[in-house]
Amino acid sequence: MDLSFLIEDDAGLRAILREARTIAVVGLSSNPARPSHDVAAYLQDAGYRIIPVNPKERQVLGVPAVPDLRAIAGPVDVVEVFRRSAEVAPHVDEAIAIGARVLWLQDGVIDRAAAQRAHAAGLRVVMDRCMLRDHARLMR
């Protein structure tokens, strides 16, 4: 499977990070020990609007949580996914349905078929990368 469409170069990553305003974080936990919490808190501190997407949470980082991507009112620039690789596909379908601009699969999250589907639908795709680490390296 050709994955040459994946954004992996610094210029492409920097463009995503510069253009993004709203980041829906799928799997965001209120537990500060979870990586999703640290990454989202960092991004919120960096000025991004964070939307927690987790049906088990009411509020995370002072923001009301939504059960799924379709429950978000308004545009979403980046859908960042903190779920097991085997659980990515339905979130990608939702990201496509809501017209998200970027799909970002966090470190260790790999679903080549879902990434291909997102790309075919017009989303820019980042896979198996940490948004916090890339932001800290490229934007600070």
Side-chain angles (χ1 to χ4, degrees):
M1 177 179 293
D2 176 27
L3 297 176
S4 62
F5 61 84
L6 290 175
I7 309 272
E8 298 179 319
D9 64 298
D10 286 353
L13 295 167
R14 192 177 287 113
I16 289 169
L17 294 166
R18 190 179 305 118
E19 295 164 11
R21 296 288 172 263
T22 301
I23 303 171
V25 184
V26 177
L28 179 53
S29 171
S30 60
N31 179 348
R34 304 290 300 174
S36 64
H37 190 275
D38 280 349
V39 172
Y42 170 91
L43 293 170
Q44 190 179 51
D45 288 345
Y48 296 99
R49 175 179 173 232
I50 298 299
I51 301 172
V53 182
N54 188 332
K56 297 176 182 173
E57 298 285 357
R58 291 185 149 207
Q59 179 175 299
V60 183
L61 299 169
V63 180
V66 296
D68 55 46
L69 292 169
R70 294 177 196 268
I72 298 173
V76 172
D77 298 311
V78 178
V79 171
E80 183 180 20
V81 180
F82 281 90
R83 298 294 310 271
R84 289 185 195 98
S85 298
E87 299 169 351
V88 167
H91 302 297
V92 170
D93 294 337
E94 285 187 335
I96 293 166
I98 67 166
R101 296 171 44 212
V102 176
L103 172 69
W104 191 300
L105 302 181
Q106 195 60 25
D107 273 350
V109 181
I110 300 167
D111 184 330
R112 291 170 180 84
Q116 179 68 46
R117 234 177 22 262
H119 171 68
L123 281 76
R124 288 181 281 173
V125 182
V126 178
M127 185 164 65
D128 192 22
R129 295 190 70 102
C130 177
M131 195 175 224
L132 180 159
R133 199 165 38 251
D134 282 331
H135 186 278
R137 186 174 61 83
L138 296 169
M139 305 296 286
R140 294 281 172 163

